[in-house]
Amino acid sequence: MNLLFLGDIVGKPGRLAVRQRLPKLIHRERADFVVANCENVAHGAGVDPDSCRELFDAGADVLTSGNHIWRRKEIADYLEREPRLLRPANFPPGAPGRGAATFSTAGGTTVAVVNLIGRVFMDAVDCPFQAGEALVRDLRAKTPVIFVDMHAEASSEKAAMAYHLGGRVSGVVGSHTHVQTADQRLLDAGTAFMTDAGMCGPVDSIIGVKAELALRRFVTHLPVRFEPASGATWVQGAVIAIDDTSGRATDIRRIQEVVDRP
C-alpha cells in the first residue's frame, strides 16, 4: 500500500491548494491512505471543525495536529466526536480526543496512525518516547502498518523517535517546522524516516506567514498578529510504500509541488 503524508497545512491558501491538488496526487501516487497535519489550518494557527471537514472532503483520511490544537475552543468538542482528527498522544491525561487510532483503507488494510509531540524547545508535556512505546506495543496487536507523525522542533528528537520505534512502525515523518528536509531514507529495520514533511502553504513567505509580519516580530520583539501570505503555494509531503503483511516500508519519496493560483 502507499501512504501519503502532507506537511502542515497553513490557513486558507494551504486548504485551497490541498483541495486543488490532493485528488490528483492520490491518483498519480496510487495513494491508498492520506494523512495530513492540520494544526495551522484555521487562519494560520489552530484548527476548527469547518476546516477539518473541508480537508476530509478533499481526500484526507486522517488529520494529525500539534501544539496549536487548542487555539480555538470549539475544537475540544469536535475532537471527542471526530475519530479522524488526532491530537498528540503525550498530552497529559484528561485532554480531549485521542492521540492514536486504527483505520481501514478501501482495500481492507488496517492502518494505525500515531500523533506525538516533542519536548525540545517546546512546551513541557509527557514523554513522547514512553507514550510512543506503549501505543505501538498495543497497536501491533491490531496491525503491523503503523505511521507516526512526530511533531517537533528539534531534528535530533525526530530522528531519535525513528530509531526508537525502528522496526516496529512503518514510518516516522516529522512536522512542525514548515521546512521540508531532503533526508528521506529507509532505516535498516524497515522504517521509513524523514525529518520534516514541510508545509502546504505560501511559497513567498516566512514559514507560511506574510514576511513583513514575521520580520516585524523579529526586529522589534513586539507581539505581532500573524497572517498567512498569498500567492503561489507549496504542497509538500512524502509518499511511503509499505508491505501490507509485514508493515515494513519499501520506499519513501518526497512530494513538492507548486500550485500557482490555489
Side-chain angles (χ1 to χ4, degrees), residues 57-74:
D57 289 344
D61 294 296
V62 176
L63 299 176
T64 53
S65 60
N67 53 303
H68 293 310
I69 184 65
W70 311 122
R71 282 289 189 97
R72 301 177 185 279
K73 62 182 181 181
E74 66 268 28

Side-chain angles (χ1 to χ4, degrees), residues 18 23-24 48 57 65-66 83 93 115 138 148 152 158 177 191 210 235:
V18 169
K24 298 175 183 177
D48 62 15
D57 289 344
S65 60
N115 193 178
D138 292 341
V148 179
K158 298 176 189 181
T177 71
T191 295
K210 289 181 178 179
V235 173

Side-chain angles (χ1 to χ4, degrees), residues 76-137:
D77 288 341
Y78 187 71
L79 274 164
E80 295 286 4
R81 301 194 312 269
E82 178 51 80
R84 296 175 296 174
L85 173 62
L86 303 180
R87 47 81 173 161
N90 54 311
F91 281 157
R98 59 203 59 77
T102 57
F103 308 89
S104 294
T105 68
T109 300
T110 299
V111 180
V113 180
V114 178
N115 193 178
L116 297 170
I117 192 167
R119 297 190 292 186
V120 179
F121 308 127
M122 307 212 25
D123 291 339
V125 291
D126 294 345
C127 178
F129 295 92
Q130 293 183 17
E133 177 89 20
L135 284 167
V136 168
R137 186 186 311 118

Side-chain angles (χ1 to χ4, degrees), residues 165-239:
L165 298 177
R168 293 178 290 167
V169 301
S170 306
V172 176
V173 179
S175 59
H176 180 66
T177 71
H178 297 201
V179 178
Q180 189 181 65
T181 57
D183 63 338
Q184 70 277 5
R185 62 190 186 274
L186 295 176
L187 304 185
D188 290 342
T191 295
F193 172 64
M194 181 170 158
T195 298
D196 203 289
M199 71 171 177
C200 300
V203 176
D204 187 12
S205 70
I206 296 176
I207 62 170
V209 174
K210 289 181 178 179
E212 63 271 22
L213 299 180
L215 280 171
R216 191 181 307 161
R217 178 181 289 183
F218 280 118
V219 171
T220 68
H221 202 60
L222 294 173
V224 176
R225 182 182 178 85
F226 283 171
E227 298 176 15
S230 57
T233 304
W234 265 320
V235 173
Q236 297 178 322
V239 176

